[in-house]
Amino acid sequence: MNNGSNLSAIILAAGLGKRMKSEIPKVLHQICFKPILYYILKSVSALNPENIFVVVGHKSELVRQFLSSDFPDAVAVRQENQLGTAHAVGVVRKYYDKLSDNCLILPGDMPMILPETLEAVISSTAKKGYETSAALLTSVVADPFGYGRIIRDQSGNIVKIVEEKDATDTEKLINEINTSVYFFKKKILFEYLENIGSKNSQKEFYLTDIVENLVKSGQQVSGYIAQDSIEAEGINDRVQLAVLEKAMQKRINREHMLSGVTFKDPGTSFVSPETVIGKDTIIEPSCFIKGNTNIGQNCIIGPFAQIEDCRIGSGTKINKSVLQGAVIGNLNNIGPTSYIRPGTVTADNVKIGACCEIKKSRISDNSKVPHLSYIGDAQVGAGVNIGAGTITCNYDGFLKNKTIIEDGVFIGSDTMLVAPVRIGKGAITAAGSAIVEDVPDECLAIERSKQANIEKGAVKFREKKEKQKLQQNRQPENK
Ligand code: UD1
Ligand code: CA
């Protein structure tokens, strides 16, 4: 979209959000793993505006932190005291020269808004054959309680906005509401802001008052009614937070389905807005896919997979496992119940089976860690088989040490690999060995004491134990 030439966006996000009953600013509460504010910034960014100003106030350092990590080009502007929406826009005046001729104003708490709708608001200024100097996004809702109402004259022209607390009983019946998305010519906006007072029931400076003032001075204000009222819904409490999280989940999953991803039960899986999923991948029920995750084609993910900030190749299966910050190759088979931690990289055809933990390790083609192992700070070659219960003892209480396992190695079950240690190409370790020294190529390393088989020993052992049990049962206190 390129409506953004000559456009600035001002996002109002300084409010406390009292009804959230929270220590966190309202706009930082998350839906589908991202702050509410993320979504509106994403929609606004799609218009390619020349700049974006975010008015911050309550716990502003947290909002700034989020902006600098996710939208570093957005400019945070501090509103010391929250005296109302007109006052909030007023604090941006100090950037007057930087602001474009056209300003789009939006609330920070309206995550479902789409760029197409913002474009429609902007274009509505030119609908009548001439340009109006302001436009509003309005919405027709079943329950308008709490919102500002749109008052129109007989010919349908917008006359003013009346806040719930200032509305008459008849005005309260109007169900077309102000969404707090506005488009203004910069010059007019700041000229009219000058004259806004706070003579209303909340003693606040209402941005909505500009509309009446414009109309009174003979200007037209156009309106665009949202096609889907969900887009215009704001979040004021945690009930609305849950409702809009569901709506966002539906929107995100629907988009993946329309581009060729199967969701077995889309209502149970949550996917972050940044996630990319390839064609013909199947998302089984109850998956949580967060952060910057990229999943290839033809994968089977879940049920019950938690994946965060991972790259996953094609044809890979991940069953009931937790993966964080890992790069997984093609045709891997992971789980059930394994934990793949940051820094792990697997090549193609790797199997990490049941109940394994892999941390910061590289595993090459065709290698297998099928059962109950911990592999940390290791480099595993190609075609390696790691027996059940193998542990890389990577931490000596002070330092993390590396284990290197070269191509074609067979690690017997229950091997302790005490790092730093290297197992040479084609070597074998015997089950139950504690390997503390490097094993040269093609060697068999065995580290256990010699086994003794005592003749009839089992029989004698049982006899002795039966006797002890009888004696114990005769003593009254053990009854
Ligand atoms: C506002 C509108 C109302 C509209 C509703 C839509 C006014 C007077 N009323 O009411 O017509 O129906 O939004 O949701 O504008 N903010 C600041 N600084 C302030 C005050 C508010 O940054 O001093 C921010 C808030 O963080 C929020 C947005 O502005 O993101 C809207 O403020 P809020 O207090 O929620 O306004 P409403 O009473 O809901
Ligand atoms: Ca609000």
Side-chain angles (χ1 to χ4, degrees), residues 106-149:
L106 312 101
D109 62 355
M110 222 174 76
M112 299 299 291
I113 190 82
L114 288 169
E116 298 85 272
T117 303
L118 298 176
E119 293 219 308
V121 175
I122 296 170
S123 341
S124 76
T125 55
K127 275 277 154 58
K128 293 177 175 161
Y130 58 92
E131 244 190 323
T132 59
S133 45
L136 306 177
L137 174 66
T138 73
S139 179
V140 175
V141 297
D143 178 13
F145 179 79
Y147 289 104
R149 308 297 204 282

Side-chain angles (χ1 to χ4, degrees), residues 2-59:
N2 50 15
N3 232 325
S5 60
N6 220 3
L7 180 72
S8 285
I10 300 172
I11 297 175
L12 308 183
L16 168 72
K18 267 188 220 123
R19 281 170 283 171
M20 295 300 282
K21 309 250 164 73
S22 176
E23 295 294 313
I24 305 165
K26 176 168 80 177
V27 293
L28 293 188
H29 281 264
Q30 299 201 339
I31 63 176
C32 296
F33 315 114
K34 283 302 230 183
I36 296 167
L37 187 56
Y38 166 89
Y39 294 94
I40 198 140
L41 277 161
K42 204 176 128 200
S43 284
V44 164
S45 301
L47 302 181
N48 290 313
E50 287 181 336
N51 40 39
I52 301 176
F53 296 91
V54 182
V55 179
V56 299
H58 184 65
K59 294 251 169 99

Side-chain angles (χ1 to χ4, degrees), residues 267-291:
T268 61
S269 288
F270 290 83
V271 177
S272 75
E274 305 120 308
T275 294
V276 176
I277 309 176
K279 249 193 257 173
D280 290 320
T281 283
I282 297 172
I283 309 293
E284 296 279 354
S286 298
C287 291
F288 302 85
I289 305 174
K290 317 182 191 181

Side-chain angles (χ1 to χ4, degrees), residues 135 161 363:
I161 300 170
I363 302 180

Side-chain angles (χ1 to χ4, degrees), residues 299-368:
C299 293
I300 301 177
I301 306 296
F304 308 108
Q306 286 181 49
I307 301 174
E308 184 172 2
D309 293 325
C310 289
R311 283 191 74 83
I312 292 165
S314 289
T316 286
K317 294 179 185 160
I318 296 173
N319 181 6
K320 202 182 181 184
S321 290
V322 178
L323 286 82
Q324 294 164 345
V327 178
I328 303 297
N330 302 312
L331 299 165
N332 279 211
N333 207 331
I334 297 179
T337 57
S338 278
Y339 181 23
I340 315 294
R341 294 169 51 196
T344 297
V345 179
T346 68
D348 295 344
N349 248 315
V350 169
K351 179 184 170 76
I352 295 164
C355 307
C356 294
E357 179 174 338
I358 315 286
K359 187 215 103 180
K360 210 177 169 187
S361 294
R362 290 183 160 267
I363 302 180
S364 304
D365 290 335
N366 305 313
S367 287
K368 294 185 170 70

Side-chain angles (χ1 to χ4, degrees), residues 114-259:
L114 288 169
E116 298 85 272
T117 303
L118 298 176
E119 293 219 308
V121 175
I122 296 170
S123 341
S124 76
T125 55
K127 275 277 154 58
K128 293 177 175 161
Y130 58 92
E131 244 190 323
T132 59
S133 45
L136 306 177
L137 174 66
T138 73
S139 179
V140 175
V141 297
D143 178 13
F145 179 79
Y147 289 104
R149 308 297 204 282
I150 305 293
I151 313 293
R152 293 179 183 263
D153 66 13
Q154 253 109 24
S155 358
N157 294 318
I158 293 174
V159 175
K160 61 175 177 174
I161 300 170
V162 178
E163 291 305 295
E164 170 81 35
K165 286 179 181 142
D166 305 299
T168 63
D169 287 347
T170 355
E171 286 168 339
K172 281 183 183 157
L173 296 175
I174 297 170
N175 61 355
E176 183 183 8
I177 58 121
N178 170 32
T179 64
S180 273
V181 172
Y182 311 82
F183 174 82
F184 288 109
K185 292 281 168 204
K186 167 173 84 169
K187 208 166 146 277
I188 293 208
L189 171 65
F190 286 96
E191 189 186 314
Y192 277 74
L193 267 185
E194 290 285 340
N195 302 319
I196 288 184
S198 57
K199 276 199 206 120
N200 49 58
S201 63
Q202 304 191 85
K203 307 271 180 297
E204 277 184 14
F205 295 90
Y206 289 171
L207 185 57
T208 46
D209 284 353
I210 286 194
V211 173
E212 187 176 7
N213 293 347
L214 277 170
V215 173
K216 274 187 178 157
S217 67
Q219 315 241 20
Q220 287 252 15
V221 174
S222 26
Y224 176 79
I225 304 175
Q227 304 280 297
D228 182 353
S229 65
I230 192 86
E231 278 190 64
E233 265 181 54
I235 293 175
N236 292 308
D237 58 35
R238 301 201 195 219
V239 177
Q240 286 165 318
L241 183 72
V243 169
L244 291 196
E245 172 142 45
K246 267 286 166 193
M248 188 60 78
Q249 172 200 40
K250 205 168 163 189
R251 180 187 280 175
I252 292 172
N253 293 355
R254 184 185 141 83
E255 237 155 68
H256 286 296
M257 290 188 271
L258 292 178
S259 38

